[in-house]
């Protein structure tokens, strides 16, 4: 079993399209390409234009027997659909066999979030006695204070900072630009890192295009390194929840809504294209209210 030469060429072109036009993150890009490659291997060297709706339905049945989560199957379908939309747009195929196929309904789970005390516990346990530790503490504080994605944070350059106005310009999904806000305390921590600590990690000539957060070799700090640093901190303290950089974003949104922030404002700060993506945090807030009510009201 394998992929024929033409299909491999189409897959390579699809990769360029996702990376250059859609501006997919490296993580999403790898997932989409892996999903499409698995499908192409399954069809066993069949030409792209030979694959019809029936063949695609057979593949859905096949992956449905593999005990994948509904969310994983939905992503695999989305990946292959995107591939075929690309082929149709490029006039490589005359018919898109995925148009009439509906995937499984995703079970929407409420996002995990941290309490203020849990976040403060994490921040207190970051060892800031080393330059890298101080940098990590600033990163975690910035994630919590701004709600930005980890990829947005690691992608920051000095030209994105407007610290006089407590503003940072970030580029989200689809290279969409937005401004996030940070409080004075976080701003002072970030300034301290820039002015006094970053050169202790690696001394570089800072320009507008230079990365804000760097590793020990002076290169841009990668998402994987941030996740690893957070995991090391969390492993040494007693927190039962799963903690990832994205949980800081969930916590940021939840806290804003609990304190009366307008849903549209939260949507703008998070960079959500649709308010439907933001509304899930209202469910988190209501669920928390119910929990507090049941614990504290004598008639509950």
């Amino acid at each position: 079993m394998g992929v024929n030469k033409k299909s491999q060429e189409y897959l390579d072109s699809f990769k360029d399209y996702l990376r250059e036009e859609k501006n997919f993150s490296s993580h999403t890009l790898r997932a989409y390409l892996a999903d499409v490659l698995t499908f192409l291997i399954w069809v066993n060297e069949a030409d792209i234009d030979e694959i019809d709706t029936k063949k695609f339905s057979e593949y859905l049945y096949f992956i449905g027997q593999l005990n994948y989560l509904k969310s994983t199957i939905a992503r695999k379908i989305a990946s292959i659909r995107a591939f075929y939309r690309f082929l149709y747009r490029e006039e490589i195929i005359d018919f898109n066999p995925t148009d009439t196929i509906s995937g499984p309904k995703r079970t929407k789970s409420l996002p995990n979030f941290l309490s203020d005390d849990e976040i403060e516990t994490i921040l207190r346990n970051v060892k800031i006695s080393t330059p890298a530790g101080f940098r990590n503490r600033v990163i975690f504080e910035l994630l919590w204070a701004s709600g930005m994605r980890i990829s947005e944070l690691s992608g920051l350059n000095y030209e994105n900072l407007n610290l006089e106005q407590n503003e940072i310009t970030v580029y989200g999904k689809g290279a969409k630009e937005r401004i996030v806000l940070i409080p004075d305390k976080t701003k002072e921590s970030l300034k301290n890192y820039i002015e006094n600590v970053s050169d202790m990690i690696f001394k570089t000539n800072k320009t507008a295009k230079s990365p804000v957060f760097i590793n020990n070799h002076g290169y841009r700090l990668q998402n994987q390194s941030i996740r690893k640093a957070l995991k090391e901190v969390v492993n040494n303290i007693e927190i039962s929840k799963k903690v990832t950089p994205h949980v800081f974003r969930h916590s940021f949104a939840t806290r804003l809504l609990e304190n009366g922030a307008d849903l549209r404002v939260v949507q703008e700060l998070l960079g959500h294209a649709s308010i439907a993506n933001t509304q899930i945090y209202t469910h988190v807030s209501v669920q928390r209210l119910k929990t507090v009510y049941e614990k504290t009201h004598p008639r509950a």
Side-chain angles (χ1 to χ4, degrees):
M1 298 180 71
V3 179
N4 68 38
K5 186 177 179 181
K6 274 191 175 181
S7 295
Q8 184 61 57
E9 290 174 358
Y10 297 150
L11 185 59
D12 291 341
S13 298
F14 181 57
K15 176 181 179 180
D16 293 338
Y17 164 73
L18 294 180
R19 183 173 53 202
E20 296 169 12
E21 293 191 37
K22 302 297 288 184
N23 197 37
F24 274 23
S25 69
S26 57
H27 176 76
T28 305
L29 182 64
R30 283 195 300 270
Y32 268 53
L33 294 177
D35 291 339
V36 176
L37 179 60
T38 302
F39 172 68
L40 292 176
I41 291 173
W42 182 83
V43 298
N44 192 20
E45 298 193 0
D47 288 336
I48 288 292
D49 54 7
E50 292 177 354
I51 302 169
D52 56 14
T53 301
K54 182 175 180 294
K55 192 71 173 175
F56 189 66
S57 296
E58 290 173 359
Y59 181 69
L60 294 189
Y61 177 78
F62 166 72
I63 61 176
Q65 309 307 304
L66 300 179
N67 295 322
Y68 285 124
L69 294 173
K70 286 184 178 179
S71 58
T72 302
I73 294 177
R75 192 208 66 218
K76 289 180 177 293
I77 294 172
S79 302
I80 300 168
R81 275 182 174 154
F83 178 59
Y84 271 89
R85 281 197 298 268
F86 166 75
L87 296 176
Y88 186 77
R89 191 194 75 161
E90 296 296 308
E91 299 182 351
I92 295 169
I93 57 174
D94 299 320
F95 167 72
N96 184 348
T98 70
D99 272 347
T100 58
I101 301 294
S102 59
K105 289 186 177 180
R106 296 193 188 197
T107 303
K108 281 202 171 183
S109 57
L110 296 180
N112 187 22
F113 68 95
L114 301 169
S115 68
D116 293 353
D117 287 343
E118 287 169 331
I119 288 175
E120 289 303 322
T121 298
I122 292 171
L123 295 178
R124 280 198 310 271
N125 280 275
V126 180
K127 296 178 180 178
I128 60 174
S129 55
T130 66
F134 189 94
R135 175 204 62 201
N136 295 341
R137 161 73 188 244
V138 172
I139 286 173
F140 303 150
E141 188 175 340
L142 192 54
L143 287 171
W144 159 232
S146 68
M148 71 175 72
R149 300 176 178 92
I150 183 176
S151 58
E152 295 168 344
L153 183 141
S154 64
L156 289 178
N157 296 331
Y158 284 102
E159 64 182 353
N160 302 130
L161 307 181
N162 181 5
L163 297 185
E164 287 186 8
Q165 300 297 322
N166 293 55
E167 296 176 356
I168 299 177
T169 301
V170 299
Y171 295 90
K173 293 182 177 180
K176 196 173 180 182
E177 178 184 315
R178 77 179 189 284
I179 292 175
V180 299
L181 308 176
I182 58 173
D184 287 337
K185 184 178 179 182
T186 304
K187 177 179 73 173
E188 292 308 315
S189 297
L190 181 56
K191 285 177 66 176
N192 192 0
Y193 160 76
I194 293 169
E195 295 170 4
N196 302 310
V197 179
S198 64
D199 281 347
M200 296 171 66
I201 296 174
F202 192 92
K203 190 171 181 60
T204 61
N205 179 27
K206 297 181 178 69
T207 67
K209 298 290 185 183
S210 297
V212 175
F213 295 107
I214 58 175
N215 61 22
N216 292 335
H217 301 288
Y219 296 113
R220 186 181 304 279
L221 192 68
Q222 298 300 306
N223 298 351
Q224 184 178 357
S225 298
I226 298 173
R227 292 192 182 96
K228 181 181 178 182
L230 179 59
K231 185 176 181 180
E232 288 175 355
V233 174
V234 173
N235 284 345
N236 291 323
I237 56 181
E238 292 184 5
I239 291 183
S240 58
K241 299 172 184 174
K242 181 179 180 181
V243 182
T244 67
H246 210 68
V247 170
F248 282 85
R249 179 170 161 87
H250 293 325
S251 306
F252 166 83
T254 303
R255 199 69 71 250
L256 287 180
L257 288 169
E258 285 180 343
N259 289 320
D262 182 84
L263 194 63
R264 291 287 182 184
V265 172
V266 179
Q267 177 192 4
E268 185 67 26
L269 290 173
L270 292 176
H272 283 161
S274 168
I275 200 167
N277 295 328
T278 316
Q279 284 174 328
I280 191 169
Y281 295 107
T282 64
H283 300 312
V284 174
S285 299
V286 170
Q287 185 62 42
R288 191 176 185 193
L289 285 174
K290 287 180 179 178
T291 302
V292 172
Y293 173 79
E294 288 168 358
K295 284 183 177 180
T296 58
H297 196 280
R299 293 289 195 128

